[in-house]
Amino acid sequence: MGLISGILMGMVFGVGLMAGWRHMMAYRSTKRVAKAVDIKLLGSLNRDDLKKICGDNFPEWISFPVFEQVKWLNKQLSKLWPFIADAAELVIKESVEPLLEEYRPPGISSLKFSKLSLGTVAPKIEGIRVQSLKKGQITMDIDFRWGGDPNIVLGVEALVASIPIQLKDLQVFTVVRVIFQLSEEIPCISAVVVALLAEPKPRIDYTLKAVGGSLTALPGISDMIDDTVETIVTDMLQWPHRIVVPIGGLHVDTSDLELKPQGKITLTVVRANDLKNMEMIGKSDPYVVVYIRPIFKVKTKVIDNNLNPVWDQTFELIAEDKETQSLVFEIFDEDIGQDKRLGVTKLPLIDLEAEIPKEMELRLQPSLNMLKIKEKKDRGTLMIRILYHEFNKEEQLAALEEEKRIFEEKKKLKAEGVIGSTMDALGSGAGMVGSGIGAGVGLVGTGVGAGVGLVGTGVSSGAGMVGSGLGAVGSSLSKAGKFMGRTITGQSSHSRKKSGSTTPVNSIQENGGAKPR
């Protein structure tokens, strides 16, 4: 009897234990599902939603990372870097050397790579985000950091000397935008678009060192190389400008990926008020340089001895990306040698409405990046009238062809020595947007001029070479080197001092302030 009762008790206990374990597992599973649902709901909330729910108890440690970490990709990149570096060196040499020649500053007869090696240290990708997902395209932003050990030597030939210059301690900090154009055929990607985002500001840091010589053999060479690097990055690589690369040898139409003119800006520079006086005797002689892209600049006439000048000149410029581009205004005091910047401001084009004329008063500042400026006082105001016209398809194609034609003409004029650089903006008789080459020849406009008699006159006394200042009576090559390629635009190296070690490639940080009237 005892045996039978023991067996029964054991069976009841075992069944009860199994039933309890099953009930516990079901309970835990239900709790896990409910918790997963709660986490998913919380994950769909943004910062503002959480603040509404939590109120004052919102914890500071909660963050919403924009970029996703890709440690696995960095590991693979380190392994593949020797092969990637070899391929990248060939691409850089083939694509960058023509740009160095194209943007080569006056006074330098040749600028090429003597040695190019990207070293053994692979770049690091801090994170990746999918910025937008359109039909047929994938757009990604890559937080790119590189502090490698490259061996880059530039062969620099100038009028008075030839010297190899090494770029040491190269560091790159930027966000790279990559757009993949998808296709139905293998490799499933027909084209790739690459560009650098303007925000956060790209940084390219380096140190210049002469190999077997001294940089003093070529006075001003550091400034010229810095300006060349900045110009190439700003005007060729910085968004909305981009590089389009077809993939896989497929014949694809990449016209939709290329940057095209969107509209025309009709701008009248009316007057300025309460400008800062930079002269010891008398008053400043102000003029205005206006541009959207540095390669297309226009310049007003000079008003002598006046801190409240009236120009009332009209220009027309091309806008290629209204959402990201800005109209930059720089006011200079014309002087012998280096022109001094009186003030600067910018107007984001996104603030403009199509076909609606506006009259605006822009507040001038010492710099667009006020973080490093001790003097915070205003530099006066600039009055403008502006109208934005959005192109139709026919106007867009016509403006694109005209833009290409003008750039080719500027390259020819540079080769012939008529202008010192493709970045030069000639005087107020400018008829071409961004250059002023030839009165009446224009991209989309005229540019009312004061009738400059000799291109580049007023650049030091007795300047003998257009756009450079070489041959200026009493001036040294050192002084000429500092304002080479800027004597016509009026933008002197005084306005953009560099140490030769750091080249921020986008100095536009803050809006100088614009208020409609």
Side-chain angles (χ1 to χ4, degrees), residues 184-485:
E184 297 179 354
E185 302 179 24
I186 294 177
C188 300
I189 297 175
S190 60
V192 177
V193 178
V194 181
L196 307 182
L197 293 187
E199 296 292 342
K201 179 178 67 177
R203 277 179 51 202
I204 300 179
D205 300 341
Y206 55 85
T207 302
L208 296 178
K209 180 182 178 182
V211 180
S214 174
L215 288 178
T216 57
L218 293 175
I221 189 65
S222 295
D223 287 340
M224 286 188 277
I225 292 178
D226 287 346
D227 291 343
T228 302
V229 172
E230 178 182 350
T231 299
I232 290 175
V233 173
T234 302
D235 207 55
M236 297 296 295
L237 298 177
Q238 189 167 297
W239 186 266
H241 312 296
R242 73 285 303 266
I243 295 177
V244 181
V245 182
I247 298 296
L250 300 175
H251 179 71
V252 293
D253 182 14
T254 60
S255 59
D256 290 339
L257 300 175
E258 296 174 353
L259 185 64
K260 299 184 183 69
Q262 282 188 354
K264 177 178 68 175
I265 302 292
T266 302
L267 171 72
T268 299
V269 181
V270 182
R271 66 177 183 273
N273 295 313
D274 302 323
L275 297 178
K276 183 177 180 179
N277 190 12
M278 293 289 189
E279 300 293 338
M280 297 292 293
I281 301 175
K283 299 178 180 179
S284 297
D285 307 318
Y287 64 92
V288 184
V289 173
V290 186
Y291 62 91
I292 297 175
R293 291 181 62 183
I295 200 169
F296 294 121
K297 296 181 179 179
V298 292
K299 170 185 169 183
T300 68
K301 60 188 176 184
V302 178
I303 304 295
D304 295 330
N305 198 38
N306 198 329
L307 298 181
N308 298 283
V310 177
W311 293 283
D312 200 23
Q313 290 183 249
T314 300
F315 304 96
E316 293 182 334
L317 300 97
I318 290 296
E320 294 165 320
D321 191 337
K322 184 172 176 286
E323 284 69 31
T324 60
Q325 289 182 320
S326 295
L327 198 58
V328 181
F329 302 84
E330 294 182 294
I331 300 184
F332 292 93
D333 173 23
E334 186 182 59
D335 207 345
I336 295 176
Q338 297 182 1
D339 294 349
K340 300 174 183 177
R341 188 163 69 180
L342 302 178
V344 62
T345 186
K346 72 170 183 176
L347 175 64
L349 300 185
I350 196 172
D351 295 342
L352 304 178
E353 298 180 47
E355 313 304 337
I356 298 179
K358 286 188 177 182
E359 184 174 295
M360 311 182 77
E361 186 175 19
L362 308 178
R363 179 168 53 87
L364 299 171
Q365 294 180 335
S367 172
L368 289 171
N369 183 6
M370 294 296 292
L371 297 177
K372 299 181 180 180
I373 302 297
K374 295 181 179 180
E375 182 187 355
K376 304 294 184 180
K377 295 181 180 179
D378 291 346
R379 294 293 187 91
T381 59
L382 179 67
M383 181 71 69
I384 64 168
R385 290 192 297 269
I386 191 168
L387 174 66
Y388 175 73
H389 168 70
E390 191 167 333
F391 285 146
N392 57 35
K393 190 69 174 180
E394 291 74 18
E395 291 173 328
Q396 185 183 64
L397 295 175
L400 181 62
E401 292 302 318
E402 188 68 9
E403 199 174 49
K404 291 179 180 178
R405 184 187 65 81
I406 290 172
F407 188 65
E408 290 299 321
E409 287 185 1
K410 292 185 71 175
K411 289 170 63 176
K412 291 180 182 179
L413 290 172
K414 178 186 175 182
E416 296 169 358
V418 177
I419 59 176
S421 170
T422 54
M423 300 296 293
D424 287 347
L426 303 188
S428 57
M432 178 186 298
V433 171
S435 67
I437 303 167
V441 179
L443 173 61
V444 288
T446 57
V448 180
V452 179
L454 174 63
V455 175
T457 57
V459 180
S460 142
S461 63
M465 181 176 290
V466 175
S468 65
L470 292 173
V473 176
S475 66
S476 65
L477 182 59
S478 176
K479 178 184 285 188
K482 290 183 179 180
F483 60 82
M484 283 181 185

